[in-house]
Structures are given as C-alpha cells and as structure tokens.
Amino acid sequence: MRLIFAVLVLSCVARPRAAQAADGLVRFDDFEGEGNLAGTAWFAGCDKNNLGTTLAPDPFVPESGGSPTSPKKFARIHGHFGKNVAPYAWASLGADLAAGPKAVDLSTYKGLSFFVKGKGKGKIIITKDSVKDFADYQFTFTLTSQWTLVTAAFDAFAQPSWGKVVAHDFKDARQIKITPEDNDADYDIGIDDLSFMKDPQSKGPAPFAGAGAIREIALKELLAKNIAYSPIALGAEARWSFKDDVEDDGKGGW
C-alpha cells in the first residue's frame, strides 16, 4: 500500500495541467492557479535605470476576477513605463515556453488568442533564440476598461525597425512576454485565457503534448518491472485531503 500511495502522490504533484482544446485553441494559461501548459513559472520585472519605471505586483501573483471564460483569476501588471532613452526602460510579465529553459517549435500553431483589459497599449512578445539584440517579434494591442478578445495571428507579429531581421517563424521560441507599449506613461495590463491557435495545415507534433500527459501504469505492470524503491514515511505532513472547500485558506487540497 505504501508503494501505491507514493505513486499516486507523485502523479498529483508532478503532473502539469493537460492542454485544453476548444474551437481550435490550446489554452496555455487561464491563471486560475493550476499553472501554465509548459509547467513553468510566470515572472515579473522591470528596469532599475532611474528612468521612472515602476511595476506591481512584484513578485507576480494573479488577481481576483477574470475574463468571461475563467472569472476567478487573471494576470495583471501595472505602474509607470520609463523614458525611451539610454540605457532604456523595460517592464514585463513573462514565462518560459519550456523548462530548462530551452527553445520550442511553435510551427503547429498559427497565432495567439487572449482576453485583455486595462489602460493604454500593450505588447505580446515571443522571444527567439535567433534574436540576439532584443528585437523580437511582437504584436501590439489596445486596452479598454472592458474585457476584449484579441486574436493575434503570427503573420501579424513584427520586429521593431531598429533590429536585425531574422526569419519570421517561431521554430526557436523561448519565452512569451507581456509588456507596456507607451514610454513615459502609466500602464495597466490585464490578460486572461492565453491560448495558442492550432494551424490545421500543420502536421508537426504539438510542443506541449509531453507536458500534458503522464502515462498511468497499472500496479501489476509496475510490480513486474521489479523497480527498486524505498518507502518514505509521510507522517504528519500527510494531513490534507484532495478536496479544497475554500480557496486559498490553507486548509485543504493541493
């Protein structure tokens, strides 16, 4: 029984959330607390170049409220974006597209879909290994006080004019970032239900398929493998149930 229980615990702790597909979408994150599809953490940060940049929350945590399709939580960064002078301002919320981090091939997708609300303009950026001067492909969107669904085809992403031009593809994608657009101005960017749009013409493997599925092995099959193991006494630490009646109260669930 100890072996059975250990296998169940490892499965629950290590299993990243499976891809959710609907209407040709693969949801990367809805910020409801189950983590993103790549199994990586979101991180927020900004420059410390005395150009007036501020950012909150830092460290990043999702806020209550959300888009119509996932109303519990959403991602939000806000503050002031500094002046566009050397050594230059930056502020962003980002996540690696694979643990490591390492580059992934997004060719099986044709773009991004997400809800936004807030103030001013924002950008969504996909960084690439082949870009060495921060001139990554990006898509600019306008924010309003109401949740708005944005569809951003990869064909509509563009590099800034000052950068070295690299191939317009995402075969070596590394990170996804959300940043403000307008320098020397306040910004408030809320984003939710960040999803990739499937490309029906693509025959390549989905980059997050391995993150979303861990094969379940029957106990008989597992025992037949004669795997050496040592049971670990969980003791007082195994005191929570799988059920979480009240969110974030520290009294149940995982």
Side-chain angles (χ1 to χ4, degrees):
M1 291 299 293
R2 287 182 179 177
L3 174 61
I4 296 172
F5 185 71
V7 171
L8 288 173
V9 170
L10 288 173
S11 176
C12 290
V13 172
R15 184 193 301 269
R17 185 178 60 176
Q20 300 181 41
D23 298 326
L25 298 180
V26 175
R27 183 176 291 172
F28 183 72
D29 206 343
D30 60 9
F31 301 99
E32 300 288 72
E34 296 177 351
N36 66 47
L37 198 57
T40 61
W42 288 93
F43 51 88
C46 67
D47 72 89
K48 308 298 181 184
N49 296 329
N50 296 318
L51 297 173
T53 305
T54 62
L55 176 142
D58 186 9
F60 167 74
V61 289
E63 292 198 7
S64 296
S67 71
T69 52
S70 61
K72 288 184 180 179
K73 302 277 187 180
F74 73 104
R76 179 190 178 207
I77 55 172
H78 56 98
H80 187 85
F81 195 29
K83 298 178 188 221
N84 186 25
V85 296
Y88 299 108
W90 63 271
S92 68
L93 171 67
D96 293 325
L97 291 170
K102 60 183 180 181
V104 299
D105 186 351
L106 299 179
S107 299
T108 189
Y109 304 126
K110 63 179 181 179
L112 292 167
S113 171
F114 50 93
F115 280 91
V116 292
K117 76 170 183 177
K119 174 183 177 182
K121 290 183 179 180
K123 293 187 295 191
I124 192 157
I125 299 170
I126 296 179
T127 70
K128 288 164 47 81
D129 266 350
S130 53
V131 174
K132 307 300 183 184
D133 57 359
F134 302 103
D136 288 288
Y137 279 95
Q138 51 198 256
F139 178 89
T140 302
F141 52 86
T142 300
L143 297 142
T144 69
S145 60
Q146 302 297 318
W147 283 111
T148 303
L149 179 62
V150 175
T151 299
F154 284 155
D155 287 346
F157 279 62
Q159 288 185 271
S161 59
W162 46 263
K164 179 182 178 181
V165 177
V166 301
H168 193 160
D169 62 46
F170 297 100
K171 295 179 180 179
D172 59 341
R174 186 172 286 275
Q175 293 179 337
I176 189 164
K177 291 184 176 182
I178 296 94
T179 76
E181 163 70 1
D182 298 322
N183 286 93
D184 202 17
D186 291 341
Y187 66 93
D188 190 340
I189 304 172
I191 188 166
D192 204 359
D193 289 317
L194 178 60
S195 304
F196 287 96
M197 299 187 296
K198 292 180 181 179
D199 184 353
Q201 306 301 319
S202 175
K203 306 300 182 184
F208 306 114
I214 298 176
R215 187 169 75 91
E216 294 185 4
I217 303 175
L219 179 60
K220 182 178 179 180
E221 181 184 351
L222 185 65
L223 293 175
K225 294 179 181 292
N226 294 317
I227 300 172
Y229 72 94
S230 299
I232 300 173
L234 298 179
E237 299 303 322
R239 65 187 188 278
W240 285 4
S241 69
F242 288 95
K243 185 178 179 182
D244 191 3
D245 293 315
V246 180
E247 186 177 1
D248 296 329
D249 67 347
K251 296 181 180 180
W254 290 81

